[in-house]
Amino acid sequence: MAVARALRAGGLCRRCFLSSFSAGGGPAAGRGERQESAGMDFSPPPHSRSDWIGPPDKHSNLRPVIFYVPPEESPLERRLREARQEAQACNQRFWAQQNRAFRQEKEEFIYSRLKAKGLEIRHDTGKKATLNAEEMADFYKDFLSKNFRKHMQYNRDWYKRNFTITFLMGQVALVRALRWLRWKKKNVGN
C-alpha cells in the first residue's frame, strides 16, 4: 500500500515495480502508448514517462519490462527500444526453456538414482525423497557439460545484442546532446 501511495506521489525512482505482470508484451499500438501484454491485470498510468519492471517471471526468473514509448519517438529511439525489447524477449525465451529443461532433467535424475537404490520418490511420511550433495553435484556437472555449447552460443548472442544496444544508446545520447546544444545556442542568441 505504501508503494502505491509513493508511486502516485511520484516518490519512487525512474523504474517502478508492477504489482502483477504476465510475460509476453508486444509493441505499442502507437506513439505515446504503453505496450499491452496478454493477461496483464495492471498497467502503468498513462502519464508515466519511464519503463516499468515487473516481478520475476515464474519460468525464466527474469523481470519483464514494459518499455515507455515517448509520443515523439524518433526513428533512432524506436530502433533502440525495439532492440531492447527483442533482447528481453530472447532472454525470456532462452531462460524459460533452459530452466524447464533443467527441472525436468533434475527430476529424471533423482528418480533414476532413487530407483537404482530401490527407494521410492516419497517416504512413508509423504515427504519427497532427496539425494545428497555429492550425488546432485554429478547431475549439475553433467547438465553444464551437456549444455556448454548452448550457453556459449547464448553468451555470443547476448554480447552482440548488448553491443548493438550500447551503440544505439550512444547515438541517441549524441543526437539529444546536439539537439540540446542547438536549442541552448538559439535561446542564448535571443
Side-chain angles (χ1 to χ4, degrees), residues 10-21:
L12 285 183
C13 65
R14 181 171 165 82
R15 295 196 171 193
C16 303
F17 294 89
L18 298 176
S19 62
S20 64
F21 185 90

Side-chain angles (χ1 to χ4, degrees), residues 93-105:
R93 274 192 308 274
F94 176 81
W95 287 109
Q97 185 180 36
Q98 193 66 14
N99 290 344
R100 263 193 291 281
F102 176 81
R103 282 191 289 274
Q104 180 181 355
E105 290 181 33

Side-chain angles (χ1 to χ4, degrees), residues 137-154:
D138 292 338
F139 165 73
Y140 298 135
K141 181 180 179 231
D142 290 343
F143 184 82
L144 289 174
S145 297
K146 191 168 57 173
N147 289 287
F148 179 76
R149 289 193 192 281
K150 190 188 297 186
H151 284 199
M152 288 299 292
Q153 182 62 43
Y154 168 78

Side-chain angles (χ1 to χ4, degrees), residues 116-128:
K117 291 180 177 182
L119 300 173
E120 293 294 321
I121 294 292
R122 300 221 177 253
H123 293 294
D124 295 335
T125 60
K127 284 186 131 189
K128 199 170 185 179

Side-chain angles (χ1 to χ4, degrees), residues 18-132:
L18 298 176
S19 62
S20 64
F21 185 90
S22 181
R31 305 270 189 230
E33 295 179 20
R34 293 264 169 208
Q35 53 190 53
E36 294 300 322
S37 181
M40 188 183 333
D41 298 331
F42 181 79
S43 63
H47 64 277
S48 175
R49 296 181 47 146
S50 58
D51 297 344
W52 283 59
I53 302 173
D57 179 70
K58 66 181 178 179
H59 300 292
S60 69
N61 290 328
L62 299 177
R63 291 184 173 273
V65 179
I66 298 177
F67 293 94
Y68 172 67
V69 182
E72 290 143 15
E73 184 178 45
S74 71
L76 185 60
E77 291 170 329
R78 183 170 153 241
R79 279 183 50 206
L80 171 60
R81 179 179 49 81
E82 288 173 348
R84 290 177 66 209
Q85 287 172 328
E86 180 184 338
Q88 176 189 333
C90 289
N91 287 339
Q92 288 281 356
R93 274 192 308 274
F94 176 81
W95 287 109
Q97 185 180 36
Q98 193 66 14
N99 290 344
R100 263 193 291 281
F102 176 81
R103 282 191 289 274
Q104 180 181 355
E105 290 181 33
K106 182 179 169 186
E107 289 298 319
E108 290 170 0
F109 176 82
I110 291 171
Y111 178 75
S112 67
R113 287 287 173 105
L114 290 174
K115 190 174 180 182
K117 291 180 177 182
L119 300 173
E120 293 294 321
I121 294 292
R122 300 221 177 253
H123 293 294
D124 295 335
T125 60
K127 284 186 131 189
K128 199 170 185 179
T130 59
L131 300 175
N132 65 32

